[in-house]
Amino acid sequence: MRVFELVGPIMFGPSSSHTAGACRLSRAMWQILDCPMKKAALGLHGSFRVHEGGTVNKALVAGLLGFDTDDDRINNSHALMEQSGIDFSWENVTLENAHNNSVRYEIEGDGFSFSAIGASVGGGMIEVSEINGIKLSLTGDYNTLLVFAEDLEKAEKAFSSLGLEGGEVECHPGKAGGGIILYKTSLPLEPELCQKLESRESVGHASRHLRFD
């Protein structure tokens, strides 16, 4: 059992779901993008919906800027988002059969974009349950390599050529022969792995989502 699971996350208030979990959920989007963010549109569901005259949860905003849960800039995240040049927008939505602390993301970066649905599931933990319409499960329990394949079969062969051992591989088919490969491991994942994969024509994008300590 990890220290995080025993004592919980280091964070600002008021609650783990609405601070640590919210920040980590948006930070997962920042990690998946792994390039300068140009646009972020949020669909806020359940307890994350903004009441009349309110503002978007500051931790959700902070995570999109790459801030971690103990970063004192979280309290100033709205102003920092305005200064960032990111085209930030939001709307209240209702997501069918979704966790009460869920967010739908539309993220656009310099050369790559994706959509996702995720939730802050309690105790500072998260689950990303959908990326680009593909059902999967991405949490902070493992270091995870994400491979966005334009040709899933060829991308599987490219991934196999890396010779990684000791992890779990998941292949999730998408549309038109594409899909997403997830490699989950407790071992470190070096950035060079993403660069090697992105050099293959069958791979559109590769990024890492790192385990919570």
Side-chain angles (χ1 to χ4, degrees), residues 109-127:
D110 187 7
F112 177 67
S113 61
F114 68 96
S115 63
I117 294 176
S120 172
V121 297
M125 304 305 295
I126 70 164
E127 181 179 27

Side-chain angles (χ1 to χ4, degrees), residues 157-180:
K157 293 179 181 178
F159 174 82
S160 297
S161 71
L162 295 176
L164 298 175
E165 298 179 355
E168 176 185 351
V169 181
E170 299 177 6
C171 294
H172 300 273
K175 297 179 179 179
I180 296 175

Side-chain angles (χ1 to χ4, degrees), residues 32-143:
I32 293 168
L33 182 64
D34 195 29
C35 65
M37 189 175 296
K38 297 169 60 178
K39 184 176 181 178
L42 276 57
L44 306 171
H45 170 83
S47 67
F48 282 140
R49 290 170 66 93
V50 175
H51 299 291
E52 186 175 356
T55 57
V56 177
N57 183 310
K58 61 188 177 184
L60 288 175
V61 177
L64 292 172
L65 296 170
F67 300 166
D68 212 339
T69 58
D70 58 351
D71 196 313
D72 58 11
R73 293 174 294 176
I74 288 176
N75 287 317
N76 197 35
S77 62
H78 283 91
L80 293 172
M81 177 60 80
E82 290 182 2
Q83 297 168 17
S84 71
I86 296 171
D87 180 4
F88 176 76
S89 63
W90 63 271
E91 62 177 335
N92 288 330
V93 299
T94 299
L95 302 175
E96 187 175 357
N97 299 320
H99 190 284
N100 192 49
N101 303 329
S102 292
V103 182
R104 183 190 67 208
Y105 292 89
E106 298 286 343
I107 304 294
E108 181 180 332
D110 187 7
F112 177 67
S113 61
F114 68 96
S115 63
I117 294 176
S120 172
V121 297
M125 304 305 295
I126 70 164
E127 181 179 27
V128 179
S129 57
E130 182 179 308
I131 299 177
N132 289 346
I134 299 172
K135 302 293 184 182
L136 44 74
S137 179
L138 178 64
T139 68
D141 295 331
Y142 301 93
N143 290 326

